[in-house]
Short mmCIF file of all heavy atoms in Angstrom, two decimals:
data_model
loop_
_atom_site.label_atom_id
_atom_site.label_comp_id
_atom_site.label_asym_id
_atom_site.label_seq_id
_atom_site.Cartn_x
_atom_site.Cartn_y
_atom_site.Cartn_z
N GLY A 1 57.46 123.53 79.70
CA GLY A 1 58.01 122.24 80.11
C GLY A 1 58.37 122.21 81.58
O GLY A 1 58.82 123.20 82.15
N GLY A 2 58.20 121.05 82.21
CA GLY A 2 58.56 120.89 83.61
C GLY A 2 57.49 121.41 84.54
O GLY A 2 56.66 122.24 84.16
N PRO A 3 57.49 120.95 85.80
CA PRO A 3 56.45 121.37 86.75
C PRO A 3 56.69 122.78 87.29
O PRO A 3 57.82 123.29 87.27
CB PRO A 3 56.58 120.34 87.87
CG PRO A 3 58.03 119.94 87.84
CD PRO A 3 58.42 119.98 86.38
N SER A 4 55.64 123.38 87.76
CA SER A 4 55.74 124.68 88.43
C SER A 4 56.18 124.46 89.87
O SER A 4 55.75 123.52 90.54
CB SER A 4 54.38 125.38 88.41
OG SER A 4 54.33 126.41 89.38
N GLY A 5 57.05 125.36 90.36
CA GLY A 5 57.47 125.27 91.75
C GLY A 5 56.32 125.44 92.72
O GLY A 5 56.34 124.89 93.82
N LEU A 6 55.30 126.18 92.29
CA LEU A 6 54.13 126.39 93.16
C LEU A 6 53.29 125.13 93.27
O LEU A 6 52.66 124.89 94.30
CB LEU A 6 53.29 127.54 92.61
CG LEU A 6 52.13 128.01 93.49
CD1 LEU A 6 52.65 128.63 94.77
CD2 LEU A 6 51.26 129.02 92.74
N SER A 7 53.28 124.31 92.22
CA SER A 7 52.40 123.14 92.21
C SER A 7 52.87 122.04 93.15
O SER A 7 52.08 121.20 93.57
CB SER A 7 52.28 122.59 90.79
OG SER A 7 53.53 122.07 90.34
N VAL A 8 54.16 122.03 93.49
CA VAL A 8 54.70 120.96 94.34
C VAL A 8 55.04 121.42 95.75
O VAL A 8 55.27 120.60 96.64
CB VAL A 8 55.95 120.32 93.69
CG1 VAL A 8 55.59 119.69 92.36
CG2 VAL A 8 57.07 121.33 93.52
N VAL A 9 55.08 122.74 95.99
CA VAL A 9 55.61 123.24 97.25
C VAL A 9 54.72 122.88 98.44
O VAL A 9 55.22 122.61 99.55
CB VAL A 9 55.84 124.77 97.17
CG1 VAL A 9 54.52 125.54 97.17
CG2 VAL A 9 56.75 125.23 98.31
N GLU A 10 53.39 122.85 98.25
CA GLU A 10 52.52 122.54 99.39
C GLU A 10 52.74 121.11 99.88
O GLU A 10 52.74 120.85 101.08
CB GLU A 10 51.05 122.77 99.02
CG GLU A 10 50.12 122.63 100.21
CD GLU A 10 48.73 123.18 99.94
OE1 GLU A 10 48.47 123.65 98.80
OE2 GLU A 10 47.90 123.16 100.86
N GLU A 11 52.94 120.20 98.96
CA GLU A 11 53.20 118.81 99.33
C GLU A 11 54.53 118.68 100.08
O GLU A 11 54.64 117.89 101.02
CB GLU A 11 53.22 117.94 98.08
CG GLU A 11 53.43 116.46 98.35
CD GLU A 11 53.43 115.64 97.07
OE1 GLU A 11 53.07 116.18 96.00
OE2 GLU A 11 53.80 114.45 97.15
N ILE A 12 55.49 119.49 99.71
CA ILE A 12 56.83 119.41 100.32
C ILE A 12 56.86 120.05 101.71
O ILE A 12 57.46 119.52 102.65
CB ILE A 12 57.87 120.09 99.40
CG1 ILE A 12 57.97 119.36 98.07
CG2 ILE A 12 59.24 120.14 100.08
CD1 ILE A 12 58.80 120.10 97.03
N LEU A 13 56.17 121.19 101.87
CA LEU A 13 56.34 122.01 103.07
C LEU A 13 55.15 122.01 104.02
O LEU A 13 55.18 122.71 105.03
CB LEU A 13 56.63 123.46 102.67
CG LEU A 13 57.84 123.70 101.76
CD1 LEU A 13 57.99 125.19 101.48
CD2 LEU A 13 59.11 123.16 102.38
N THR A 14 54.13 121.22 103.73
CA THR A 14 52.87 121.36 104.45
C THR A 14 52.97 121.14 105.95
O THR A 14 52.18 121.68 106.72
CB THR A 14 51.82 120.40 103.85
OG1 THR A 14 50.54 120.70 104.41
CG2 THR A 14 52.16 118.94 104.15
N ASP A 15 53.93 120.37 106.45
CA ASP A 15 54.01 120.05 107.87
C ASP A 15 55.01 120.91 108.64
O ASP A 15 55.28 120.65 109.81
CB ASP A 15 54.39 118.57 108.06
CG ASP A 15 53.30 117.63 107.56
OD1 ASP A 15 52.11 118.00 107.69
OD2 ASP A 15 53.63 116.55 107.04
N ILE A 16 55.55 121.94 108.01
CA ILE A 16 56.55 122.78 108.68
C ILE A 16 55.86 123.90 109.44
O ILE A 16 55.07 124.66 108.88
CB ILE A 16 57.55 123.35 107.67
CG1 ILE A 16 58.33 122.21 106.99
CG2 ILE A 16 58.51 124.32 108.36
CD1 ILE A 16 59.36 122.68 105.98
N GLU A 17 56.18 124.02 110.73
CA GLU A 17 55.59 125.07 111.56
C GLU A 17 56.08 126.44 111.09
O GLU A 17 57.25 126.61 110.76
CB GLU A 17 55.98 124.85 113.03
CG GLU A 17 55.30 125.81 114.00
CD GLU A 17 55.64 125.49 115.44
OE1 GLU A 17 56.27 124.45 115.70
OE2 GLU A 17 55.28 126.31 116.31
N GLY A 18 55.18 127.41 111.08
CA GLY A 18 55.53 128.76 110.64
C GLY A 18 55.27 129.01 109.18
O GLY A 18 55.50 130.11 108.67
N ILE A 19 54.76 127.97 108.47
CA ILE A 19 54.41 128.11 107.06
C ILE A 19 52.91 127.90 106.91
O ILE A 19 52.36 126.92 107.42
CB ILE A 19 55.18 127.11 106.17
CG1 ILE A 19 56.68 127.41 106.22
CG2 ILE A 19 54.68 127.17 104.73
CD1 ILE A 19 57.53 126.48 105.39
N SER A 20 52.24 128.81 106.24
CA SER A 20 50.78 128.72 106.03
C SER A 20 50.47 128.71 104.54
O SER A 20 51.14 129.37 103.75
CB SER A 20 50.06 129.91 106.68
OG SER A 20 50.20 129.88 108.08
N PHE A 21 49.42 127.97 104.19
CA PHE A 21 48.90 127.95 102.83
C PHE A 21 47.45 128.43 102.86
O PHE A 21 46.63 127.91 103.63
CB PHE A 21 48.97 126.54 102.23
CG PHE A 21 50.37 126.08 101.91
CD1 PHE A 21 51.15 125.48 102.89
CD2 PHE A 21 50.90 126.26 100.65
CE1 PHE A 21 52.44 125.07 102.62
CE2 PHE A 21 52.20 125.85 100.36
CZ PHE A 21 52.97 125.25 101.35
N VAL A 22 47.15 129.42 102.04
CA VAL A 22 45.79 129.96 101.95
C VAL A 22 45.32 129.85 100.51
O VAL A 22 46.01 130.31 99.60
CB VAL A 22 45.74 131.44 102.41
CG1 VAL A 22 44.32 131.98 102.28
CG2 VAL A 22 46.24 131.57 103.85
N HIS A 23 44.17 129.24 100.31
CA HIS A 23 43.61 129.09 98.97
C HIS A 23 42.43 130.07 98.83
O HIS A 23 41.48 130.03 99.61
CB HIS A 23 43.14 127.65 98.74
CG HIS A 23 44.28 126.68 98.67
ND1 HIS A 23 44.87 126.30 97.48
CD2 HIS A 23 44.95 126.02 99.65
CE1 HIS A 23 45.86 125.45 97.73
NE2 HIS A 23 45.93 125.26 99.03
N LEU A 24 42.52 130.92 97.83
CA LEU A 24 41.48 131.90 97.54
C LEU A 24 40.72 131.46 96.29
O LEU A 24 41.27 130.74 95.45
CB LEU A 24 42.09 133.28 97.34
CG LEU A 24 42.88 133.83 98.53
CD1 LEU A 24 43.68 135.05 98.13
CD2 LEU A 24 41.95 134.15 99.68
N GLY A 25 39.47 131.88 96.19
CA GLY A 25 38.65 131.46 95.05
C GLY A 25 37.84 132.59 94.47
O GLY A 25 38.04 133.77 94.78
N GLY A 26 36.89 132.23 93.63
CA GLY A 26 36.06 133.22 92.95
C GLY A 26 35.32 134.13 93.91
O GLY A 26 35.08 135.30 93.61
N LYS A 27 34.95 133.61 95.09
CA LYS A 27 34.21 134.43 96.06
C LYS A 27 35.09 135.52 96.67
O LYS A 27 34.59 136.44 97.32
CB LYS A 27 33.64 133.54 97.16
CG LYS A 27 32.58 132.55 96.68
CD LYS A 27 32.00 131.75 97.82
CE LYS A 27 31.06 130.66 97.32
NZ LYS A 27 29.93 131.21 96.59
N ASP A 28 36.41 135.41 96.47
CA ASP A 28 37.33 136.40 97.01
C ASP A 28 37.76 137.44 95.99
O ASP A 28 38.57 138.31 96.30
CB ASP A 28 38.57 135.70 97.57
CG ASP A 28 38.22 134.73 98.69
OD1 ASP A 28 37.62 135.18 99.68
OD2 ASP A 28 38.52 133.53 98.56
N VAL A 29 37.24 137.35 94.77
CA VAL A 29 37.54 138.36 93.74
C VAL A 29 36.86 139.66 94.14
O VAL A 29 35.66 139.70 94.38
CB VAL A 29 37.06 137.90 92.35
CG1 VAL A 29 37.22 139.02 91.33
CG2 VAL A 29 37.85 136.67 91.90
N VAL A 30 37.64 140.74 94.21
CA VAL A 30 37.09 142.00 94.68
C VAL A 30 37.15 143.09 93.61
O VAL A 30 37.07 144.27 93.92
CB VAL A 30 37.80 142.49 95.96
CG1 VAL A 30 37.50 141.56 97.11
CG2 VAL A 30 39.30 142.60 95.73
N ARG A 31 37.30 142.69 92.38
CA ARG A 31 37.17 143.66 91.30
C ARG A 31 35.68 143.83 90.99
O ARG A 31 34.83 143.47 91.79
CB ARG A 31 37.96 143.17 90.08
CG ARG A 31 39.48 143.15 90.35
CD ARG A 31 40.26 142.61 89.19
NE ARG A 31 41.69 142.58 89.51
CZ ARG A 31 42.61 142.03 88.74
NH1 ARG A 31 42.26 141.44 87.61
NH2 ARG A 31 43.88 142.03 89.10
N HIS A 32 35.35 144.34 89.85
CA HIS A 32 33.96 144.53 89.46
C HIS A 32 33.20 143.21 89.64
O HIS A 32 33.75 142.13 89.42
CB HIS A 32 33.90 144.99 88.01
CG HIS A 32 32.55 145.49 87.58
ND1 HIS A 32 31.48 144.65 87.36
CD2 HIS A 32 32.11 146.74 87.33
CE1 HIS A 32 30.44 145.37 86.99
NE2 HIS A 32 30.79 146.64 86.97
N GLN A 33 31.94 143.29 90.05
CA GLN A 33 31.14 142.09 90.30
C GLN A 33 31.18 141.13 89.12
O GLN A 33 31.22 139.90 89.30
CB GLN A 33 29.68 142.50 90.59
CG GLN A 33 28.73 141.32 90.81
CD GLN A 33 29.06 140.53 92.06
OE1 GLN A 33 29.69 141.05 92.97
NE2 GLN A 33 28.64 139.27 92.10
N ILE A 34 31.19 141.65 87.91
CA ILE A 34 31.18 140.77 86.74
C ILE A 34 32.48 139.97 86.64
O ILE A 34 32.49 138.85 86.12
CB ILE A 34 30.93 141.57 85.44
CG1 ILE A 34 30.51 140.62 84.32
CG2 ILE A 34 32.17 142.38 85.04
CD1 ILE A 34 30.03 141.34 83.07
N VAL A 35 33.61 140.52 87.18
CA VAL A 35 34.86 139.77 87.16
C VAL A 35 34.75 138.53 88.03
O VAL A 35 35.21 137.45 87.66
CB VAL A 35 36.03 140.67 87.63
CG1 VAL A 35 37.33 139.87 87.70
CG2 VAL A 35 36.19 141.85 86.70
N GLN A 36 34.13 138.66 89.20
CA GLN A 36 33.91 137.50 90.07
C GLN A 36 33.10 136.44 89.34
O GLN A 36 33.41 135.25 89.39
CB GLN A 36 33.20 137.92 91.35
CG GLN A 36 32.87 136.74 92.27
CD GLN A 36 32.23 137.20 93.58
OE1 GLN A 36 32.50 138.30 94.05
NE2 GLN A 36 31.40 136.37 94.14
N GLU A 37 32.06 136.87 88.64
CA GLU A 37 31.20 135.92 87.92
C GLU A 37 31.96 135.25 86.77
O GLU A 37 31.77 134.06 86.49
CB GLU A 37 29.95 136.64 87.42
CG GLU A 37 29.06 137.14 88.55
CD GLU A 37 27.91 137.99 88.06
OE1 GLU A 37 27.71 138.08 86.83
OE2 GLU A 37 27.21 138.58 88.91
N ILE A 38 32.85 136.01 86.11
CA ILE A 38 33.65 135.45 85.03
C ILE A 38 34.60 134.39 85.57
O ILE A 38 34.73 133.29 85.01
CB ILE A 38 34.43 136.57 84.30
CG1 ILE A 38 33.48 137.44 83.48
CG2 ILE A 38 35.51 135.97 83.40
CD1 ILE A 38 34.11 138.70 82.93
N VAL A 39 35.29 134.71 86.68
CA VAL A 39 36.23 133.75 87.29
C VAL A 39 35.50 132.46 87.67
O VAL A 39 35.98 131.35 87.40
CB VAL A 39 36.93 134.38 88.51
CG1 VAL A 39 37.70 133.31 89.30
CG2 VAL A 39 37.87 135.48 88.07
N GLU A 40 34.34 132.60 88.30
CA GLU A 40 33.60 131.41 88.72
C GLU A 40 33.09 130.62 87.52
O GLU A 40 33.08 129.38 87.54
CB GLU A 40 32.43 131.82 89.63
CG GLU A 40 32.91 132.36 90.98
CD GLU A 40 31.76 132.76 91.89
OE1 GLU A 40 30.64 132.97 91.36
OE2 GLU A 40 31.97 132.88 93.10
N ALA A 41 32.69 131.32 86.45
CA ALA A 41 32.21 130.64 85.25
C ALA A 41 33.32 129.83 84.59
O ALA A 41 33.12 128.68 84.19
CB ALA A 41 31.63 131.65 84.26
N TYR A 42 34.53 130.43 84.52
CA TYR A 42 35.66 129.70 83.95
C TYR A 42 36.05 128.51 84.84
O TYR A 42 36.46 127.46 84.34
CB TYR A 42 36.87 130.62 83.76
CG TYR A 42 36.91 131.26 82.39
CD1 TYR A 42 36.49 132.57 82.20
CD2 TYR A 42 37.37 130.56 81.29
CE1 TYR A 42 36.52 133.17 80.94
CE2 TYR A 42 37.41 131.14 80.03
CZ TYR A 42 36.98 132.44 79.87
OH TYR A 42 37.03 133.02 78.63
#
C-alpha cells in the first residue's frame, strides 16, 4: 500500500544542483549473458 519513495523522488528533486539521476537497463546487466537476455525479455 502507498507509493514508493523512489517513484516520486525524481519529480520532486530533479532541478536541484548536485543531485543526479541515472537510469540503467538490460544492456547494463553484467551477470551471465543469459541474465541480460532474461531482464530484457521481461
Side-chain angles (χ1 to χ4, degrees):
S4 162
L6 188 66
S7 67
V8 298
V9 72
E10 187 166 2
E11 182 179 349
I12 296 170
L13 303 181
T14 189
D15 294 326
I16 297 181
E17 186 176 351
I19 296 180
S20 295
F21 289 86
V22 179
H23 292 266
L24 301 168
K27 295 183 186 299
D28 299 302
V29 173
V30 293
R31 294 177 181 172
H32 192 287
Q33 178 66 22
I34 197 171
V35 176
Q36 177 177 331
E37 295 173 8
I38 289 170
V39 169
E40 292 180 341
Y42 268 101

